Amino acid sequence: MTSPSVTATKPQAAVPAVPLALSTPAHDAGLLLLRVVLGLTMAGHGTQKLLGWFGGGGISGTGQFFTASGYPAGDAMAVLAGLTEVLGGLGLVLGLLTPLAGAAVVGTMINAIAVHGAGSFFAPKGIEYELLLTVAAAALALTGPGRYAADRFLPVLRSHRLAHGALAVAVGVITAGVLLLVRN
């Protein structure tokens, strides 16, 4: 019988220390695709409000809708919503100031969900579409735009930090809440 101190142990295979890649070409391409589709969708919605494009009501028609939905100064709200959607959408497409662009979409879509109501989840009377846009924008604000983005050229956003995204989303949610409070 051998003592425990003399017992030979089998050497463990060395596990190579491979750092987890934070950004891969596939990851960056996926973020680019999400940013472009979400951004162009939101910019298109904004041009409906501002210019009446794509069957939209323009400022006047959208302003009437905002007034009927209980917002004060319907035309001003139409301009605010339209600009937020266009600028936030284009910001996402370019990957420029991505946390703020995502937060702009989040805030706008929270108001859209509140106005649309929560009668059901699924279309045509549900909120699934608005919720999907909201969550996608929040996800982009939190994850960052990936490598194929203008944010790479901005020193403060070159390496995206979760804190930037979380703070931006919080600002979007708070701003949406304030706008909902002024609604009748």
Side-chain angles (χ1 to χ4, degrees), residues 143-162:
T143 62
R147 268 188 276 192
Y148 311 128
D151 282 354
R152 287 191 67 197
F153 303 106
L154 302 175
V156 72
L157 294 175
R158 186 170 295 135
S159 63
H160 184 79
R161 290 178 176 63
L162 177 61

Side-chain angles (χ1 to χ4, degrees), residues 91-92 95-102 150-151 154 156-157:
L92 288 176
L96 179 62
L97 302 173
T98 304
L100 291 177
D151 282 354
L154 302 175
V156 72
L157 294 175

Side-chain angles (χ1 to χ4, degrees), residues 7-33:
T7 305
T9 59
K10 220 179 195 183
Q12 295 292 325
V15 177
V18 177
L20 180 63
L22 297 177
S23 185
T24 65
H27 177 257
D28 294 325
L31 288 172
L32 175 64
L33 177 64

Side-chain angles (χ1 to χ4, degrees), residues 48-160:
Q48 286 181 306
K49 291 172 180 64
L50 293 173
L51 306 170
W53 291 2
F54 310 114
I59 293 172
S60 176
T62 305
Q64 290 172 6
F65 170 79
F66 274 107
T67 300
S69 298
Y71 288 93
D75 285 354
M77 292 302 292
V79 170
L80 178 64
L83 285 174
T84 302
E85 290 176 357
V86 168
L87 296 176
L90 293 178
L92 288 176
V93 169
L94 297 172
L96 179 62
L97 302 173
T98 304
L100 291 177
V105 172
V106 166
T108 301
M109 295 314 299
I110 287 173
N111 273 269
I113 290 170
V115 168
H116 196 267
S120 67
F121 181 74
F122 293 105
K125 295 182 181 182
I127 61 166
E128 65 178 322
Y129 174 68
E130 292 87 353
L131 182 63
L132 182 61
L133 295 176
T134 306
V135 172
L140 284 170
L142 294 171
T143 62
R147 268 188 276 192
Y148 311 128
D151 282 354
R152 287 191 67 197
F153 303 106
L154 302 175
V156 72
L157 294 175
R158 186 170 295 135
S159 63
H160 184 79

